[in-house]
Amino acid sequence: MNKSRVTSLAALAAVSAIVLAGCSIDEAPSADTPDTGASGEVDKILFDYPFTALPVYASLTQAVADYAETQGIEVVFTNDNMDLATQVSQLTTHLGSDIDAVVSFPMDNAAVQTVAKQFIDDGTLWITYGGDLDEQSSSLQFSFHDSGMTLGEDAGEWITENLDGDAKVLVLGDMSIQLGQERTTGILDGLEASAPDAEIIEQQAITPDEGLSVTSAVLAQHPDIDVVVATSGDAAAGAYQALIASGRPADDANTYVGGLDGNLTLYQEMKAGNFVRGVVTVKSSELAQAIVDFPVKLGKGEATERFDVPVYFVDADSADLDDYIVELGG
């Protein structure tokens, strides 16, 4: 694969929310593992999702709140405003409270690790969302590499079938955290496997604004970009807007845009028959259930070390495309 690595025009230590659709659970830790928090009934959960500016934030937190109410579980939410110092401060505020379990998406593992250990030492379960910490009770993960590879393979197969294997591909990645790194690597691995002659341009983008600005800048230098794939559905939506703004027809038969995680714009353009061709995602309703149910089961000893979730590939032919649109408020 020919790779052209371009200096990042925009980066944010963030990653979009991920939704899940099924799960498998790893073996329980051995009896001599360090203490990872108290076990017992979980009645109150702190959900710490710092990336409040991402479009998925409102729908995910509402889904968590709604489901928790049906289960008689109280959920408290932080408001970190996409700022690491605020995240640490918000978490620290709840130390020594009656919180039974924390589900937290760390913006920076090293900075959050100390707080996680304090919660665990205080007898509170700590579930790391979207990665792993050295000190944790367990983690919620989302098939990071496999989901990226699924998208990369689909894009590569499309390139082979529609462009005779010769394409210029913009990969909007995220190398700031574990989830983004594994997803980015998965996309590249999938492209390598299915379209080895494609030329790759790598950039960093997470939010819709970043996807728009980064893709616009790349298009100014490489107007012949054929494919944009992103580790974030939000960034992919921004890339779609950039391509349209550059004069690319929405139904262009030789363009492919795809992303990881659901995004309403992507789904709507996909349904309209435009060049959004693939989204790898899970359902926010099912993720909300895991955010509530997994800590409860962990406290009861019914769950084990890690909750790892597969994802679904969605395209214009998916029978449940309308369901994804409705979940995101469309």
Side-chain angles (χ1 to χ4, degrees):
M1 181 183 298
N2 302 314
K3 291 192 178 182
S4 172
R5 293 182 182 269
V6 182
T7 303
S8 176
L9 301 173
L12 177 65
V15 64
S16 60
I18 312 94
V19 285
L20 69 94
C23 68
S24 61
I25 297 177
D26 289 355
E27 291 300 313
S30 60
D32 59 353
T33 49
D35 181 28
T36 54
S39 60
E41 192 160 342
V42 172
D43 297 311
K44 189 171 184 179
I45 298 168
L46 176 65
F47 183 42
D48 172 47
Y49 186 90
F51 307 119
T52 52
L54 294 177
V56 74
Y57 174 79
S59 61
L60 177 59
T61 52
Q62 187 61 57
V64 170
D66 291 345
Y67 179 71
E69 184 176 3
T70 69
Q71 302 302 301
I73 303 295
E74 181 179 357
V75 178
V76 179
F77 300 92
T78 58
N79 185 16
D80 302 337
N81 200 29
M82 299 187 73
D83 179 74
L84 175 60
T86 304
Q87 179 178 38
V88 173
S89 174
Q90 291 261 312
L91 287 167
T92 303
T93 298
H94 293 278
L95 281 167
S97 70
D98 58 349
I99 295 291
D100 300 309
V102 178
V103 180
S104 175
F105 193 170
M107 295 186 72
D108 179 82
N109 281 13
V112 175
Q113 179 69 79
T114 301
V115 184
K117 187 177 187 309
Q118 289 176 300
F119 273 104
I120 290 169
D121 290 346
D122 207 26
T124 303
L125 293 170
W126 178 281
I127 296 94
T128 308
Y129 177 110
D132 287 299
L133 295 179
D134 292 336
E135 299 278 351
Q136 62 183 26
S137 306
S138 191
S139 63
L140 278 171
Q141 299 192 20
F142 316 97
S143 305
F144 309 145
H145 179 272
D146 289 350
S147 60
M149 190 157 183
T150 297
L151 181 63
E153 286 179 334
D154 185 76
E157 289 168 3
W158 182 89
I159 290 167
T160 299
E161 293 171 5
N162 294 276
L163 304 178
D164 296 324
D166 183 19
K168 187 174 285 187
V169 182
L170 173 59
V171 175
L172 298 177
D174 170 28
M175 299 305 289
S176 64
I177 60 174
Q178 175 186 338
L179 183 150
Q181 292 166 2
E182 294 185 19
R183 283 180 158 195
T184 302
T185 301
I187 288 174
L188 295 172
D189 288 346
L191 286 166
E192 178 70 46
S194 54
D197 294 327
E199 179 182 353
I200 308 299
I201 299 172
E202 292 185 54
Q203 281 285 1
Q204 295 275 107
I206 303 301
T207 66
D209 287 345
E210 287 180 345
L212 174 62
S213 62
V214 170
T215 304
S216 296
V218 172
L219 285 170
Q221 300 178 38
H222 304 277
D224 55 342
I225 290 289
D226 303 296
V227 173
V228 183
V229 283
T231 59
S232 158
D234 294 334
Y240 177 85
Q241 294 172 345
L243 286 161
I244 295 297
S246 74
R248 193 77 56 97
D251 60 352
D252 185 70
N254 295 318
T255 302
Y256 179 114
V257 169
L260 294 163
D261 307 333
N263 174 280
L264 183 58
T265 296
L266 294 183
Y267 289 143
Q268 290 174 329
E269 297 303 324
M270 180 184 286
K271 182 176 175 63
N274 296 329
F275 57 68
V276 176
R277 305 192 187 279
V279 174
V280 180
T281 190
V282 290
K283 294 182 179 180
S284 58
S285 59
E286 293 179 353
L287 177 57
Q289 291 173 23
I291 289 167
V292 175
D293 290 345
F294 184 56
V296 172
K297 291 179 179 178
L298 193 66
K300 294 178 178 179
E302 296 175 0
T304 51
E305 186 179 3
R306 191 176 77 187
F307 195 97
D308 204 3
V309 296
V311 291
Y312 292 137
F313 180 81
V314 181
D315 63 13
D317 295 326
S318 296
D320 53 356
L321 176 56
D322 285 340
D323 294 338
Y324 288 100
I325 292 172
V326 170
E327 269 204 326
L328 294 180

